[in-house]
Amino acid sequence: MDEEYDVIILGTGLTECMLSGILAVEGKKVLHIDRNNFYGGECASVNLTQLYERFRDGAEPPKEL
């Protein structure tokens, strides 16, 4: 990754998303990343599969759900 950025924002919570958007509108080159495989930080919505992965040691949800 040889790209250069004006700003690197870690996390996709509400504050980080607002900051990323404001800086991008102001013409900054922004890299916005998160360590999670979903977007939204602590206020994120996750699907049933993601819940099982997180709280059931990677188990698959029951087929009948």
Side-chain angles (χ1 to χ4, degrees):
M1 203 168 178
D2 286 342
E3 303 268 343
E4 288 191 24
Y5 299 92
D6 298 314
V7 179
I8 298 173
I9 297 177
L10 304 175
T12 55
L14 180 59
T15 304
E16 293 85 0
C17 291
M18 300 275 297
L19 182 60
S20 178
I22 290 168
L23 291 170
V25 167
E26 292 295 318
K28 301 293 183 190
K29 187 172 181 182
V30 178
L31 175 62
H32 189 180
I33 57 177
D34 197 312
R35 66 181 171 186
N36 297 315
N37 64 350
F38 55 87
Y39 196 82
E42 293 299 317
C43 58
S45 295
V46 295
N47 64 35
L48 187 58
T49 302
Q50 290 168 325
L51 283 174
Y52 267 79
E53 287 173 358
R54 180 175 277 191
F55 298 109
R56 298 286 184 176
D57 292 326
E60 289 289 322
K63 298 291 182 204
E64 61 272 5
L65 290 180

